[in-house]
Amino acid sequence: METVIGNPLIKALIILLLLSATTAAGDAPFIISHKKASLTRLKSGAERVSVSIDIYNQGFSTAYDVSLVDDSWPKDLFDIISGNTSNSWERLDAGGILSHSFEIDAKRQGMFHGAPAVITYRVPTKVSLQEAYSTPILPLDILAERPTEKKLDW
């Protein structure tokens, strides 16, 4: 048995098989998504949340039927002002970027912890839909009492 494994031809064949298996597994889309939110105080008692979600395909092939759903904004706490909390695209090419944004108004004061958005996509070599998640947002202190900033400090 030692002479079979010690044979350089057998070693080269094993390495070739391992490399081809690694390459085949790495030939799929690899979706990374970043979700960010920022607060804008409009007037006393009103604050707008601007949300943007960027989706990156860091893999080596195209992702098809890409769909984004962000259901982390309860309707009893937020009103949609512009855009939608979901969107879909036909494809996301390898190395490509998709961006989606929307604005919502907060109805109540308090801390809000948003969940990640869900991205689903289809890979031609697999039957089932694939799922990816965005990064979660940092906690938002909505309508918080903020001290006034000093504009000039002599």
Side-chain angles (χ1 to χ4, degrees), residues 10 14 33-34 36 42 45 80 83 94 100 105-106 109 126 129-130 136 142 144 146 151:
I10 299 295
I14 291 172
S33 181
H34 179 65
K36 52 192 172 245
L42 300 174
I80 297 175
H100 180 67
D105 270 345
Q109 180 180 6
K126 297 185 179 179
L129 282 175
Q130 304 299 302
I142 298 172
R146 294 183 183 95
K151 297 293 181 190

Side-chain angles (χ1 to χ4, degrees), residues 3-144:
T3 58
V4 173
I5 295 176
N7 188 343
L9 185 59
I10 299 295
K11 283 184 182 179
L13 183 61
I14 291 172
I15 290 172
L16 183 63
L17 286 172
L18 289 174
L19 285 176
S20 64
T22 304
T23 304
D27 196 24
F30 183 71
I31 302 297
I32 299 172
S33 181
H34 179 65
K35 177 180 170 180
K36 52 192 172 245
S38 61
L39 297 172
T40 305
R41 181 74 53 107
L42 300 174
K43 59 184 177 186
S44 180
E47 197 156 36
R48 183 159 291 170
V49 182
S50 299
V51 180
S52 66
I53 303 169
D54 297 324
I55 305 169
Y56 306 90
N57 182 355
Q58 297 295 313
F60 295 106
S61 65
T62 301
Y64 295 95
D65 301 329
V66 180
S67 177
L68 165 74
V69 177
D70 187 7
D71 287 338
S72 63
W73 308 97
K75 295 191 184 337
D76 60 327
L77 298 177
F78 299 98
D79 284 329
I80 297 175
I81 300 303
S82 67
N84 293 313
T85 58
S86 62
N87 200 358
S88 61
W89 299 269
E90 185 178 319
R91 62 190 291 157
L92 176 55
D93 293 325
I97 301 170
L98 296 172
S99 293
H100 180 67
S101 60
F102 55 93
E103 289 187 336
I104 51 181
D105 270 345
K107 294 181 183 179
R108 280 190 253 163
Q109 180 180 6
M111 289 296 286
F112 178 75
H113 302 272
V118 179
I119 297 100
T120 57
Y121 59 98
R122 188 173 53 79
V123 177
T125 58
K126 297 185 179 179
V127 175
S128 62
L129 282 175
Q130 304 299 302
E131 237 178 30
Y133 297 93
S134 73
T135 56
I137 59 171
L138 295 173
L140 298 174
D141 196 359
I142 298 172
L143 295 169

